[in-house]
Amino acid sequence: MEKVVPKIGLLIWDQGGRIARVIDLDALVKKISKPKNVKRCEVWNNLWESAFFDSVREDLKAGLIDRFLWVGRFTALQQKRLENEFSSSGLNPYLHNWCDLEEQGVCMEGVNPDVRNRKALLLVKMALARTRLLEPLDPVELPSSDAVLIVGAGIAGLQTAVSLSELGKRVFLVEKKSGVGGKVALLSRFYPRLCDPHCGLQFAVDRLAGSDLVEIHTCSTITSIDGSPGNFTVQVEKQPRYINEELCNTCGACVAACPVTINGAPHFSEDQSPEASGLKGICEALQQRRKAVHPATPMAFPSAFVIERENCPPGCRECGNACPTGAVELDQTSMEVEIRVGAVIVTTGWDPYPVSRLEEYGYDRYANVVSNLEMERLLANGNLQNAPFAGLALNDFKNIGFIQCVGSRDERHLKYCSSVCCSATLKQVLNFKELVPDASCTVFYQHMRSTGFEEELYRKTREIGDVVFLRDRPASVEADENTGKLDVTVLDPLLDKKIRMQFDLLVLAGGMCPSEGTHEIMQTFDLPKNQFGFPESHHQCHPEESQRTGIYVGGCAREPMNVTQSIESSHRAAMKALNFLQGTVMVDPCYPVLDKTKCDVCKRCMEDCPYSAFEFDEKGIPFPNLTKCRQCGICMGVCPLAAISLQHCTIKQMAAQVEAINTGFMGKSEPVILVFLCENDAYKAAQAAVDKGLPVPPNVITMKVPCAGAVNNGIIADALSFGIDGVLIAGCKDGQCHYVRGNQLVEKRSGDLSDKLKQMMMEPERVRSECIEIRDSRRYIELLESYVDDLKAMGPNPFKI
């Protein structure tokens, strides 16, 4: 293959003479015009006039130029405009390079004029070295599905399925239970409007029922996932419901014929431990009895009934004999369904924290200690006043206590705030007072956190009367042997002493934790989890993303949140998922490329990639799956043999830039520092330092990289061997890295580098890594000034000539 000889157009935009005022621009042009690759070198004060564009187009058309190096200050929009302007003339957009002398501090006041001129020259030479190695690149177009899988049919999953189907996308909705609605279907009221949640659920269900693009699999679980974003293959195990969904018309003949009556509602046994005595009392209170065949729960969609086969008497076929449509199929078995989708959205919801673990509140000992979710079932019962409860009617409960933060904000249990508990309790108090106006309620709390518009609930609760807020959590709960009432010991902060209070009913506001389904999905999909057990994401910038490209998390599967936030969260996930639902996936060409002749299959790239983007090919050599890759360059940084390079930011291009640095441009006594800046934060901080006029040391040469973790130790060693006195790698703080742990991997590799520096007879302190946030411009300058002083104390790099 014939080697391409670059033909560079080097164009300087000296807007308003800004550059010429501080450096000898004529001398610079004269020097940088000499390299044989530079075919056109000139200065323009008005770059945007038609004469300039016409002359450049002519050179492109004649083949005199095949790439550009632009010197000057260009905004991102101006860069894009120039790329687009000349792409119409056939120039690939990746054959442009940009050199901003101002952002490197060349125009700063107080710098020696000779240093300015020498630094400007070396910066342009560095840019020229990279420009020579630029290659035309094009996005890779890969086929993809237009279908999406939504795991979990609670409020978040249902609403998202509606939105995506209305955008014309095929939706596969997989739900573990026999019906849809999740926890929201068990609630009595929504806040802040206190309307029935089944209204919003039914709204979504009606639209899904009328769509030809939605396929719902209930009684189903995900068993495996293969493939890559745009082309996932998902295996679903569908458990038998023993009713043919297409034939069942919900006439109820099977229910009437069924001889088996079961106590307790099926959704309770799924949400709480069945042995809890409080649960037993609630089931009795609500008289939740059902036949072995019954409508789907928690909300009957699909409308077909379901049979709990384990509760059927041996040989009984009464339901089948009574069914007029032949929908009963008692011999059904589980089946495997294969689904092909472009993206996955996880909306598997939450589970209540097991309040029985807080033994001091007696949940597992006393029937009239209930969880807040069980209280929702009490409030949702249509015959509330007449329901028998431990020998009483519910409207006989005149004194009810609500304990907040049961398990939440507790070092022994859940360390985080579950966010909705305070508002949920306020809603329950208002709802209960509406049903039993003469009741008294006491709320035990640490801090009431009814945020935003929910503060209105707090105001209404305080104004309704007979509601007391007491700032402490009870130390113990005991039942009176004679009356069955609950004696609560608590510290009264106003009296500053312990008091005893007596209640008919105690409601524990348990926290929200990842659901059982969320744990299962994280294991099946290999999703890393955060310190609280939820799927890991970059909460600040990309909260909807998991660490597996193409798999997104919404609603309470991501973190505790209310219903409105759950719907909004899942819709944000859907917006991101659309990238993989267009029939094709466009992959930016700046992806990593592996040189197989160098690879020794050490698997560092596979182990350290935050997104598990590397896979083995047929010969057992790692290769990047392009749709999984997020182009952070961490694989390039960790490869000990420098066998991996990001296109458009290759090892070869970086090495050429480093080699072009004249380490003596500051003079003999001044050290030279090469700084690698993470483009997301540290680079922006460095730019801001210049824009603010902060005293950037002229000793510093900066290079922008996608992530601090992309800087290979080999490049650092090269820089030191060429005589550069110090190397600084500036990345994000722990927990803030856009690529999860780029800065941590820099620290991880520092040990290997220290050993190499000692072999080179150099101080390990010449290489540093620092965390720089986007607004840390002043701290950035302080670090540089301190670094310069330290390097002066160490003396010159022994390799400096």
Side-chain angles (χ1 to χ4, degrees):
M1 185 175 181
E2 186 177 349
K3 185 177 180 181
V4 176
V5 179
K7 302 171 185 177
I8 301 172
L10 200 163
L11 302 169
I12 302 172
W13 182 26
D14 189 19
Q15 186 179 21
R18 290 165 60 91
I19 300 176
R21 281 198 294 269
V22 294
I23 67 171
D24 187 342
L25 192 53
D26 292 336
L28 177 66
V29 170
K30 186 176 180 179
K31 291 176 181 177
I32 60 179
S33 300
K34 292 180 179 180
K36 63 180 181 180
N37 298 119
V38 178
K39 302 304 179 182
R40 177 173 179 169
C41 181
E42 57 197 28
V43 179
W44 286 75
N45 294 110
N46 186 1
L47 199 65
W48 309 104
E49 59 188 29
S50 59
F52 167 75
F53 288 110
D54 291 342
S55 66
V56 172
R57 288 194 194 96
E58 289 177 5
D59 283 355
L60 286 171
K61 186 176 181 180
L64 301 176
I65 296 174
D66 67 0
R67 66 197 61 208
F68 287 113
L69 170 57
W70 304 92
V71 178
R73 168 148 286 198
F74 295 86
T75 67
L77 291 175
Q78 289 168 338
Q79 291 180 8
K80 181 57 66 176
R81 178 183 172 185
L82 289 169
E83 289 173 359
N84 293 339
E85 189 73 37
F86 297 117
S87 65
S88 61
S89 300
L91 184 67
N92 187 280
Y94 289 90
L95 293 175
H96 296 262
N97 196 18
W98 312 90
C99 177
D100 186 349
L101 299 177
E102 292 187 51
E103 77 174 16
Q104 296 270 9
V106 168
C107 299
M108 300 292 294
E109 295 182 2
V111 179
N112 181 292
D114 291 336
V115 171
R116 286 185 198 275
N117 288 312
R118 289 195 293 266
K119 184 173 182 178
L121 178 60
L122 82 83
L123 290 172
V124 176
K125 285 184 175 180
M126 288 176 66
L128 273 172
R130 180 173 185 268
T131 306
R132 293 187 186 99
L133 297 173
L134 294 179
E135 296 180 353
L137 302 172
D138 293 298
V140 177
E141 186 174 5
L142 300 173
S144 72
S145 170
D146 66 348
V148 62
L149 168 64
I150 299 177
V151 188
I155 187 70
L158 291 173
Q159 294 280 12
T160 306
V162 169
S163 297
L164 287 171
S165 64
E166 290 179 347
L167 289 174
K169 304 303 177 184
R170 290 187 298 133
V171 178
F172 296 95
L173 189 59
V174 173
E175 169 56 51
K176 189 175 183 179
K177 296 183 174 63
S178 59
V180 302
K183 298 294 188 302
V184 170
L186 306 179
L187 303 181
S188 61
R189 290 286 186 269
F190 267 138
Y191 59 77
R193 296 181 183 272
L194 300 184
C195 56
D196 192 319
H198 277 244
C199 174
L201 289 169
Q202 195 62 51
F203 176 88
V205 164
D206 289 345
R207 278 157 176 75
L208 294 177
S211 174
D212 295 329
L213 294 173
V214 180
E215 186 175 308
I216 299 176
H217 296 273
T218 53
C219 302
S220 300
T221 54
I222 309 294
T223 58
S224 68
I225 185 170
D226 293 305
S228 57
N231 294 281
F232 287 119
T233 300
V234 182
Q235 299 297 328
V236 178
E237 184 176 14
K238 196 175 177 75
Q239 298 298 328
R241 65 192 300 134
Y242 304 105
I243 298 284
N244 187 311
E245 294 181 32
E246 296 181 356
L247 296 180
C248 179
N249 63 5
T250 67
C251 66
C254 56
V255 177
C258 179
V260 178
T261 299
I262 305 167
N263 292 323
H267 45 255
F268 275 124
S269 61
E270 293 167 356
D271 294 329
Q272 300 279 1
S273 56
E275 68 274 8
S277 57
L279 172 60
K280 180 175 180 294
I282 289 292
C283 291
E284 291 174 354
L286 299 180
Q287 299 178 340
Q288 291 287 349
R289 296 182 179 180
R290 68 191 188 281
K291 294 296 185 72
V293 54
H294 54 79
T297 61
M299 188 174 179
F301 182 77
S303 56
F305 287 8
V306 62
I307 299 175
E308 297 182 40
R309 199 75 176 92
E310 66 276 13
N311 291 317
C312 295
C316 177
R317 307 188 71 88
E318 294 296 324
C319 55
N321 296 334
C323 179
T325 64
V328 176
E329 298 177 353
L330 297 177
D331 297 325
Q332 277 186 3
T333 58
S334 62
M335 59 184 293
E336 288 284 334
V337 178
E338 184 175 275
I339 296 174
R340 296 182 181 273
V341 296
V344 180
I345 301 174
V346 178
T347 57
T348 43
W350 61 282
D351 276 347
Y353 186 73
V355 292
S356 57
R357 295 181 183 176
L358 287 89
E359 297 179 359
E360 62 269 30
Y361 295 140
Y363 175 80
D364 51 358
R365 298 193 303 275
Y366 312 124
N368 45 346
V369 178
V370 300
S371 72
N372 52 356
L373 192 58
E374 291 166 352
M375 185 64 176
E376 289 290 332
R377 299 306 301 145
L378 281 169
L379 295 171
N381 187 300
N383 297 316
L384 197 66
Q385 285 85 347
N386 300 319
F389 186 92
L392 297 171
L394 194 61
N395 60 357
D396 289 332
F397 287 156
K398 302 302 184 185
N399 204 353
I400 298 182
F402 295 83
I403 303 179
Q404 300 305 103
C405 298
V406 178
S408 294
R409 304 175 64 202
D410 190 327
E411 291 294 324
R412 302 170 300 165
H413 303 284
L414 303 177
K415 296 182 180 180
Y416 53 85
C417 172
S418 293
S419 80
V420 303
C421 312
C422 289
S423 295
T425 290
L426 294 173
K427 177 205 69 172
Q428 289 181 349
V429 170
L430 289 171
N431 195 182
F432 185 78
K433 289 284 290 181
E434 179 185 353
L435 296 165
V436 188
D438 60 340
S440 296
C441 299
T442 301
V443 180
F444 301 96
Y445 71 100
Q446 296 183 80
H447 303 92
M448 293 303 296
R449 295 181 171 182
S450 52
T451 59
F453 297 153
E454 295 163 19
E455 185 69 13
E456 181 72 3
L457 289 174
Y458 184 52
R459 184 188 64 78
K460 287 182 177 180
T461 306
R462 292 184 66 88
E463 292 176 354
I464 199 172
D466 288 330
V467 179
V468 175
F469 289 85
L470 203 157
R471 190 172 181 175
D472 191 33
R473 290 194 301 180
S476 64
V477 175
E478 300 291 340
D480 188 299
E481 295 181 359
N482 299 319
T483 65
K485 293 181 183 294
L486 299 167
D487 290 325
V488 173
T489 303
V490 65
L491 176 68
D492 188 323
L494 295 178
L495 300 176
D496 194 26
K497 67 176 184 179
K498 289 186 177 181
I499 61 173
R500 291 177 68 86
M501 305 178 71
Q502 197 167 73
F503 297 98
D504 303 314
L505 182 68
L506 203 57
V507 182
L508 308 182
M512 302 172 77
C513 56
S515 69
E516 179 185 354
T518 301
H519 286 301
E520 292 172 355
I521 282 296
M522 284 196 291
Q523 184 173 1
T524 302
F525 290 174
D526 189 28
L527 300 182
K529 62 182 178 181
N530 63 21
Q531 59 181 318
F532 305 119
F534 290 89
E536 182 65 272
S537 71
H538 192 285
H539 273 65
Q540 299 96 317
C541 301
H542 308 291
E544 74 288 341
E545 291 186 354
S546 73
Q547 281 184 226
R548 298 293 173 260
T549 307
I551 300 176
Y552 304 95
V553 184
C556 293
R558 194 188 85 196
E559 63 182 304
M561 60 180 73
N562 64 30
V563 173
T564 302
Q565 293 164 341
S566 294
I567 295 171
E568 292 171 346
S569 163
S570 60
H571 276 71
R572 180 181 172 97
M575 290 297 292
K576 295 288 287 189
L578 284 173
N579 293 328
F580 297 102
L581 306 178
Q582 306 301 322
T584 59
V585 177
M586 298 300 293
V587 178
D588 187 280
C590 301
Y591 51 79
V593 174
L594 173 70
D595 184 346
K596 294 184 179 181
T597 62
K598 291 184 178 180
C599 179
D600 66 353
V601 197
C602 71
K603 299 188 290 186
R604 287 283 297 275
C605 54
M606 305 186 80
E607 293 166 358
D608 287 343
C609 175
Y611 308 105
S612 297
F614 276 81
E615 303 169 359
F616 286 120
D617 66 9
E618 65 281 358
K619 294 183 179 179
I621 297 176
F623 76 98
N625 185 313
L626 298 189
T627 54
K628 291 182 179 180
C629 175
R630 301 198 189 174
Q631 304 182 359
C632 59
I634 285 176
C635 55
M636 177 171 68
V638 302
C639 181
L641 299 178
I644 302 174
S645 277
L646 277 186
Q647 296 198 122
H648 207 54
C649 182
T650 66
I651 291 280
K652 193 173 182 180
Q653 290 169 354
M654 295 173 70
Q657 288 177 273
V658 171
E659 190 174 358
I661 297 175
N662 173 11
T663 59
F665 82 93
M666 288 293 299
K668 293 183 178 180
S669 60
E670 287 289 331
V672 173
I673 302 173
L674 176 61
V675 181
F676 293 96
L677 298 167
C678 154
E679 67 180 3
N680 290 307
D681 284 270
Y683 174 67
K684 300 291 194 306
Q687 279 186 314
V690 173
D691 293 341
K692 293 175 181 177
L694 300 180
V696 180
N699 315 59
V700 175
I701 305 294
T702 64
M703 290 176 60
K704 180 174 66 173
V705 291
C707 175
V711 182
N712 190 280
N713 279 353
I715 295 293
I716 299 173
D718 283 351
L720 295 169
S721 67
F722 292 145
I724 291 171
D725 297 283
V727 178
L728 172 66
I729 304 100
C732 304
K733 286 187 174 182
D734 287 351
Q736 296 180 7
C737 178
H738 286 71
Y739 301 112
V740 186
R741 58 178 187 272
N743 59 322
Q744 296 172 4
L745 291 171
V746 172
E747 293 293 331
K748 180 180 176 182
R749 300 199 300 268
S750 62
D752 296 337
L753 185 60
S754 294
D755 293 338
K756 191 167 187 175
L757 292 178
K758 290 175 182 177
Q759 293 173 6
M760 297 169 66
M761 305 297 291
M762 299 185 71
E763 301 90 341
E765 293 79 15
R766 289 188 181 271
V767 180
R768 296 183 181 180
S769 62
E770 293 286 349
C771 298
I772 305 291
E773 290 189 279
I774 194 167
R775 291 192 287 185
D776 273 352
S777 52
R778 292 189 182 277
R779 179 170 172 268
Y780 170 68
I781 298 302
E782 292 170 359
L783 285 170
L784 293 179
E785 291 174 341
S786 172
Y787 197 9
V788 170
D789 291 339
D790 291 345
L791 288 171
K792 285 180 179 179
M794 291 182 205
N797 180 338
F799 288 90
K800 182 178 284 188
I801 298 174

